Amino acid sequence: AEYMGSFRFMSLNLDTGSAVTIISELTHANNPQDVCCFLTEQQKLQRLPQISQELAAPGILAAELRSYMSSCSMCMTTVAHEMFANIVRLYAGPKELTRAAELLSTIELIAVSEFPAFQSVRRTKKITESLISIFAPAETLGIPTLTTNSAFVRALQQQGVVVNAIVHDSRSLTGL
């Protein structure tokens, strides 16, 4: 994971991609091959980089995420929460639904409002209003964001804006 900011924090903001990764069966499977046998060929192809990473280093991402999450409280913006809930409703399987409920029971919601520091940021395909509404509240509160969206973080940096972010690999839901 790539971390931009100090190493000590009391709270951690989750973006949608991180929340999905945290509950994914691919993240938690003791043997990624066990997950693969339930996926169609097309699903396997879509997740090939994720499956390859898990086969090369099983459980490493799960351990990394636990290390970030174990020492702090977690929060999520109302926008990220709504997006995450929709993804879970559409794509999560029983194990992932259980993990989602457990995760959401520990999350404090952050309201989204106006964030002057981000007004000068030019909106692009990689910098959207919804992404700003996920990162900006945490930035305003001095809370790092756990994210899978390295493209957003890099696009902001190219405009001279550095966000307090921990970037990690992503995992998709498997429907298991």
Side-chain angles (χ1 to χ4, degrees), residues 12-172:
L12 186 61
N13 180 41
L14 301 180
D15 78 350
T16 308
S18 289
V20 166
T21 299
I22 289 165
I23 70 163
S24 172
E25 184 61 17
L26 265 177
T27 305
H28 292 276
N30 291 327
N31 181 358
Q33 296 287 11
D34 294 343
V35 174
C36 293
C37 68
F38 292 102
L39 300 176
T40 66
E41 288 305 312
Q42 182 180 0
Q43 290 171 325
K44 287 178 193 175
L45 284 173
Q46 291 170 335
R47 293 166 178 82
L48 190 58
Q50 297 174 8
I51 293 168
S52 297
Q53 288 171 342
E54 283 298 326
L55 287 171
I60 295 296
L61 181 57
E64 181 183 321
L65 294 171
R66 274 193 305 275
S67 74
Y68 292 128
M69 295 166 39
S70 66
S71 61
C72 59
S73 62
M74 290 178 291
C75 57
M76 183 181 265
T77 65
T78 53
V79 170
H81 179 270
E82 184 179 321
M83 292 169 71
F84 176 64
N86 286 333
I87 291 167
V88 167
R89 184 177 45 78
L90 292 171
Y91 302 108
K95 292 178 182 179
E96 293 165 333
L97 284 168
T98 299
R99 286 190 202 102
E102 290 169 1
L103 177 63
L104 289 174
S105 73
T106 67
I107 298 289
E108 179 182 343
L109 291 181
I110 303 173
V112 175
S113 60
E114 294 297 316
F115 300 99
F118 283 79
Q119 283 180 346
S120 64
V121 174
R122 192 174 22 87
R123 301 330 189 239
T124 66
K125 287 188 341 187
K126 294 180 181 172
I127 302 175
T128 63
E129 277 307 313
S130 63
L131 288 171
I132 287 174
S133 69
I134 290 170
F135 279 75
E139 284 298 307
T140 301
L141 296 169
I143 300 170
T145 298
L146 189 62
T147 183
T148 60
N149 198 335
S150 60
F152 175 76
V153 172
R154 275 193 311 275
L156 283 175
Q157 286 174 332
Q158 290 168 354
Q159 291 192 35
V161 177
V162 177
V163 291
N164 196 0
I166 303 168
V167 181
H168 63 87
D169 293 329
S170 66
R171 298 292 181 264
S172 303

